Amino acid sequence: MVHVLIIGAAGMVGHKLARHITQDGSLNGRALTKLSLVDVVEPPVPANAPQDTICRACDFSLEGEAEQLVASRPDVIFHLAAIVSGEAEVETDKGYRINLDGTRRLFEAIRALGEGYCPRVVFTSSIAVFGAPFPDPIPDDFLPAPLTSYGAQKAMSELLLADFSRKGFLDGIGIRLPTIVVRPGKPNKAASGFFSGIIREPLNGQEAVLPVADDVLHWMASPRAAAGFLIHAAGLDGETVGPRRNMTMPGLAVTVAEEIETLRRFGGEKAVKLIRRERDPLVEKIVAGWPRGFDPARALALGFKADESFDAIVQTYIEEEGITL
Amino acid sequence: MVHVLIIGAAGMVGHKLARHITQDGSLNGRALTKLSLVDVVEPPVPANAPQDTICRACDFSLEGEAEQLVASRPDVIFHLAAIVSGEAEVETDKGYRINLDGTRRLFEAIRALGEGYCPRVVFTSSIAVFGAPFPDPIPDDFLPAPLTSYGAQKAMSELLLADFSRKGFLDGIGIRLPTIVVRPGKPNKAASGFFSGIIREPLNGQEAVLPVADDVLHWMASPRAAAGFLIHAAGLDGETVGPRRNMTMPGLAVTVAEEIETLRRFGGEKAVKLIRRERDPLVEKIVAGWPRGFDPARALALGFKADESFDAIVQTYIEEEGITL
């Protein structure tokens, strides 16, 4: 019997996670008896949700909200809520308020309940905690030196998660997600958007702009793999993990050229021809500051599983989104 | 012409720093025209202080205090104020309030002034940002994974310092101090206190307890070297330092046995006999989790200078404190 709370449940990964858990009807072998889904917009009720499911719109970072969210003492809390990278960079105060203070309020609300309440908290961090220059691949004990406010806020939250876990206030696991590819839906303004766009748009018969060179290498995972990481993190034994509660998730180091070859296999030459090369120096500069590849030895040893291949990532996308080729 | 603010000026290192600056009458070649010294107790006025010197007791972490401290727009701010390791571990809220929130309020107060105000902020961090297991020596790009709340608060403050520096809100340098040896004055309750105590007490004809084995290795710097690090950090060119604004200071990796040999040279056999060996499993466990040695390549390349030898550290102590052997 497990009561699960997902904060950020209307986002792409949060929604996939909720669907996976409700489809299974359980979380790591424990029957799902209660599900609370919250986000700034009301999350949809997933198919097969347990009867005791609450979907609610709220800003978890506002005073008093976190206390309300944890008052019913969920056993597992997935914390996926965040202001994204681009917005946190421009809106400094908003980024710190939500990504750092909101996270801290949540952790403090859990701590305040006390009386032996020590839920598993799975926190989505990001490879944005790293900033150039890097070794290649980046080992697990490499310095987080972010070059964005978003990365700084995630790295600070990681430290708080580890300290509060060490002190027994909560039982946290922080997972640094790779860039999620192929993101379904419309193109977004994220600088990393083209990694998805050059697959998604051509498979839908639409043009996609490629703003960087074909040899650009990036660390990727599918939405399905991301949901899998979250579920696996929820079941880890804290003692086995030890005091270093944050870790980089396994991904695939894929070049743009490899993405295009996969696109060719699934969509043929006509799909590849829909990619328009138009270099964007700003995007190229941002991408140059991102990590390329990792050696996520700890996560692999703890049983986290990356996608098998970029072909498998695209196959998953086609299946999950019901794309007709 | 330089206006200097020292927060934490009544502490051992803050006081040494104030004395060095007032003795020189300048900071890195700029004439000292104004000096503001604050701490929770009113700091003493150093000899040769400029006429425009303010010594004030205040808790910099309370609402409105930081705004008042920076209102006169000091050019260089030394931020040394902190709840120490042991207290921050037991008093979790107090530690976060002062070591993290206080630091953040200070940084926000600087940012809020705006209109091109971008002072050099020298922040004293600590090697407590690192937690076992370590490589030996620890390189500059090693993961901060603290095993104390104090270390977590320092590591979080480092991230904020770097992010606010990158965004041009302030011009920060964070320096991770080694353990300061020989601390003058009375024995304190710090677990690291014996590294000073086994020199200080025997040179004063008093018994000192040694709670660990003779082969324990530790990273040390003299109070004079620490003041030198702070002054050097105040003069660094931010562009040269780049976005990684926090760095480990050079120190000496010294064993307890080497300390004792130095004591023998200065105080003779009678001093060495005043060391009483009484192993303390708790202290031994804490010490085992501490870093032993570093490869502080960046700090050395930027011109920070360690003490020459442990003999030189003890020589400095004897001179500065006027010890009669």
Side-chain angles (χ1 to χ4, degrees), chain A residues 184-257:
Chain A
K186 303 262 172 215
N188 68 13
K189 296 271 178 192
S192 60
F194 69 87
F195 289 117
S196 285
I198 60 169
I199 301 296
R200 185 184 56 224
E201 269 66 270
L203 286 182
N204 286 311
Q206 289 163 4
E207 189 183 81
V209 172
L210 173 59
V212 302
D214 285 35
D215 62 355
V216 163
L217 188 68
H218 200 64
W219 191 244
M220 304 180 191
S222 68
R224 182 183 284 177
F229 297 153
L230 287 157
I231 290 168
H232 187 70
L236 285 180
D237 173 50
E239 291 292 316
T240 307
V241 175
R244 292 192 185 164
R245 289 302 182 106
N246 301 285
M247 62 198 89
T248 302
M249 289 295 100
L252 294 176
V254 181
T255 63
V256 166

Side-chain angles (χ1 to χ4, degrees), chain A residues 89 96 101 104 163 167, chain B residues 89 96 101 104 163 167:
Chain A
E89 192 60 18
Y96 275 95
D101 298 335
R104 186 167 168 198
D163 194 42
K167 285 195 152 171
Chain B
E89 192 60 19
Y96 275 95
D101 298 336
R104 186 167 168 198
D163 194 41
K167 286 195 152 173

Side-chain angles (χ1 to χ4, degrees), chain B residues 230-259:
Chain B
L230 287 158
I231 290 169
H232 188 70
L236 285 180
D237 173 49
E239 290 292 315
T240 306
V241 174
R244 292 191 185 166
R245 289 303 182 103
N246 302 285
M247 63 197 89
T248 302
M249 290 293 101
L252 293 176
V254 180
T255 64
V256 166
E258 286 164 345
E259 283 197 78

Side-chain angles (χ1 to χ4, degrees), chain A residues 45 56-57 81 157 159 197-198 216-217 230 232 265 268 274-275 294 320:
Chain A
V45 182
R56 200 157 75 80
S157 300
L159 285 157
I198 60 169
V216 163
L217 188 68
L230 287 157
H232 187 70
R265 280 193 282 281
L274 287 166
I275 297 175
F294 293 86
E320 293 205 338

Side-chain angles (χ1 to χ4, degrees), chain B residues 249-272:
Chain B
M249 290 293 101
L252 293 176
V254 180
T255 64
V256 166
E258 286 164 345
E259 283 197 78
I260 294 172
E261 283 319 299
T262 295
L263 176 66
R264 196 187 312 276
R265 279 192 283 280
F266 285 94
E269 203 55 37
K270 74 175 194 304
V272 173

